[in-house]
Amino acid sequence: MTSEPAAGNCLVANDWICGAYLRSRGPELTDATLQHVWITVLSVAIGVAVALPLALLVRARPRFAAPVLGLTTLLYTIPSLAMFSLLLPLFGLSAALVVTGLVLYSLTILVRNTLAGLQAVPEEAREAARGMGYGPLRLLWEVELPLALPALMAGVRIATVSTVALTTVGALVGKGGLGNLIDEGLQTTFKAQVLTASLLCVLLAAVADVLLLGLQRLLTPWTRARSDRAGRAAL
């Protein structure tokens, strides 16, 4: 009598799609998702904070371009297992280990896009600002960064989506957010857990990209106006 309900239970049958898993593991999925989001946001935020000074240094001192861009590219090519192993003596098995590794991976994208955005600022805009009495800091904050924002935000979007994916590797040290569930599910062949955690990673990446695109459009209204004028001209 009890075999039929058991057979109909997707957890017992180990189905890929299982509503019972979502109902019974809701808190676990929420905690893993929150950890994933926290690690991603912190890593990208620190990456931007590090990339901006590096891009400014390269723009001001072009001779540093090859070393800085070469180093960030080299860091991106290091396999994640090797990266975490190199950082392990400094940070131990902690979230700081994962965040530091993700920051280093994000730099190659963020530095290049920030530098490209700054270099694309028209020189006449700088000259006009200087003529109005803008000092270096005010020129950077009120003229150069706003004009460089589309390229910078494009880099942030790419880095964020990449970081969402790479955060799962943090499961190697137990700090991988949804990656912990994926790793555990693979080891125990728990299909519903693997599929659910993987789909949540994809959903996080998609939502993050849409939100950042919306933020970019909000912060750069002149690009929308330019697109609208181009669309009307085409009609």
Side-chain angles (χ1 to χ4, degrees):
M1 297 293 294
T2 59
S3 60
E4 290 185 5
N9 189 322
C10 57
L11 288 173
V12 176
N14 195 24
D15 293 333
W16 284 104
I17 301 175
C18 182
Y21 171 76
L22 295 176
R23 291 190 295 271
S24 61
R25 302 293 181 90
E28 183 180 29
L29 286 168
T30 300
D31 290 343
T33 301
L34 291 176
Q35 184 187 64
H36 207 108
V37 171
W38 173 73
I39 290 176
T40 298
V41 171
L42 184 61
S43 300
V44 174
I46 296 175
V48 171
V50 174
L52 179 57
L54 288 176
L56 291 172
L57 172 65
V58 169
R59 189 188 63 165
R61 301 286 188 273
R63 66 176 181 276
F64 289 115
V68 170
L69 297 179
L71 178 60
T72 57
T73 301
L74 176 63
L75 290 171
Y76 194 77
T77 63
I78 299 176
S80 54
L81 181 59
M83 176 72 82
F84 289 165
S85 297
L86 291 171
L87 296 173
L88 186 60
L90 296 175
F91 299 100
L93 298 175
S94 65
L97 169 67
V98 179
V99 170
T100 302
L102 294 175
V103 168
L104 294 177
Y105 280 131
S106 71
L107 289 180
T108 185
I109 299 169
L110 293 173
V111 171
R112 289 177 183 275
N113 277 66
T114 304
L115 180 61
L118 291 171
Q119 291 176 334
V121 175
E123 187 59 34
E124 53 267 26
R126 294 192 182 96
E127 292 299 330
R130 292 190 187 101
M132 295 171 63
Y134 282 39
L137 288 179
R138 189 181 179 191
L139 174 64
L140 173 66
W141 185 252
E142 296 186 16
V143 178
E144 293 179 317
L145 283 181
L147 292 177
L149 201 55
L152 196 157
M153 287 299 298
V156 171
R157 288 172 59 197
I158 297 171
T160 300
V161 171
S162 176
T163 301
V164 169
L166 287 172
T167 297
T168 58
V169 183
L172 293 169
V173 296
K175 301 293 182 181
L178 293 166
N180 295 339
L181 300 182
I182 295 173
D183 182 60
E184 178 186 313
L186 288 172
Q187 292 185 29
T188 59
T189 64
F190 193 172
K191 296 177 181 178
Q193 182 162 304
V194 172
L195 180 62
T196 302
S198 300
L199 289 177
L200 282 174
C201 283
V202 174
L203 181 61
L204 277 180
V207 169
D209 189 54
V210 170
L211 289 177
L212 287 171
L213 179 59
L215 178 62
Q216 176 182 334
R217 291 175 63 83
L218 181 66
L219 294 176
T220 57
W222 61 88
T223 59
R224 296 203 307 273
R226 189 183 306 132
S227 298
D228 292 341
R229 287 197 300 268
R232 288 194 295 268
L235 293 175

